[in-house]
Amino acid sequence: MRIAVIEHAQGGDYTEYLFSLLEEKANQHNYQVKFWSNSVPVSQQHIGENAVIFISLNNHSSFFLNWLYQVKIPSIVKKIKAEVVVGLNGMACPRIKVPQLIAAGPGFLKQDVQQPDKLMKFARNYFDVSQKTAAGILSYSNTKKPNQLLNIPEKIQYLPFTAPTVFKTFEWHEKIMTKAQFADNKEYFISVIEDESLNDFVLLLKGFSRFKKWQQSNMQLIILPKYESFSAEVRNKLCTYKYRDDVQLLENAEEKEIPPLFASAHSFIHVAGHYPQLYILSIAMQCSLPVISFQNEDVKEYGGDGVLFCDEKTDESLGNSLIQLYKNENLHAQLKEAAGKQALSRNEYGDKLWQLLEVLVKKN
């Protein structure tokens, strides 16, 4: 079958996750993976019978987006003879005659989104039409939310964030090399922040300061950027931080180093802003890594009893939670065990997605 996958730049975590999952399943099934080019005629793009064709688009004005979904995308789908279409940004087009799946990420389930970008505004305004047109709706959440925009429940297919299989639990003797390489043989917390999120960074440092004042040891804090590198503001803020020698901004870690970094940590500190880092939480669960987080329904769904929730979103509460988890070994062991039980199978849900595509093609 030929699968057309439509995705826009900077579509968010769920878009990126599904993109990687589709590419992974295509390779497992020996499918050709192609990226559509507007500058090359379709006859010269050599698309095989079994192929996943990624149609990557930039974000534009509402007028141009409307033209894309009314004219351009249906034309491309017809030219490449796609048998099923996956819209990773929550949009389906009535002019496309083959079955369509759409993805409803966090932006579609929260009506209190502050300053949504042009793409999200367009997608949400268009969403009633999209979900009526689509044969199925992929949702990251399995809970019923009172502000949920999805109003055709029979179309919803639960497809949660899952971690790649390279992430796993380490025994204590397996952690020695990672601690030696990255933390001078010391225990460490690990956290991930948006590359330019100064507020999250300051909150994290203040919470860690409260911990360090209580525990006068060499416990470290390793912070990874969510994407590539931290902003100058974040790096400059660290330069004036009292405990800066115990904090690392790890920007240049190789991809193969990330799994052992997570697996060897004491615990994961989740301080994300409006949108929780559910993909990273799924990684923490697969590594049986205890999590400290502020209250959030999505985090509760993904982390379950593997998460220690702060009483309120303050640096004082965060610091107290760090102290509590560090000094209470029984609590740490309980969270570690619970986290491992929360881990979801990437293969299972990847297979579910692929089977759903096959069923839609057969029915059409």
Side-chain angles (χ1 to χ4, degrees), residues 5 18 130 138 168 171 178 211 240 247 263 269 293-294 338:
V5 182
L18 292 176
S130 292
L138 304 175
K168 60 182 182 178
E171 298 299 330
T178 302
F211 173 83
T240 61
V247 177
I269 308 174
S293 175
F294 301 113

Side-chain angles (χ1 to χ4, degrees), residues 1-7 22 51-53 55 69 73-74 76-78 80-89 91-93 95-103 133-138 353 356-357 360-361 364:
M1 61 181 170
R2 286 186 178 178
I3 306 165
V5 182
I6 302 165
E7 62 97 18
L22 282 163
V52 175
I53 306 103
I55 304 168
Y69 280 88
I73 293 173
I76 296 173
V77 169
K78 187 175 181 180
I80 63 179
K81 299 179 180 178
E83 297 169 81
V84 62
V85 175
V86 184
L88 296 183
N89 301 90
M91 289 174 275
C93 177
R95 294 193 178 188
I96 294 174
K97 302 307 178 186
V98 298
Q100 299 174 71
L101 278 179
I102 59 173
T133 302
I137 304 166
L138 304 175
L353 175 58
L356 180 58
L357 294 170
L360 291 176
V361 170
N364 190 38

Side-chain angles (χ1 to χ4, degrees), residues 113-124:
V113 176
Q114 298 177 356
Q115 298 180 333
D117 59 25
K118 292 177 182 177
L119 178 64
M120 183 181 289
K121 284 182 180 178
F122 179 83
R124 292 183 67 157

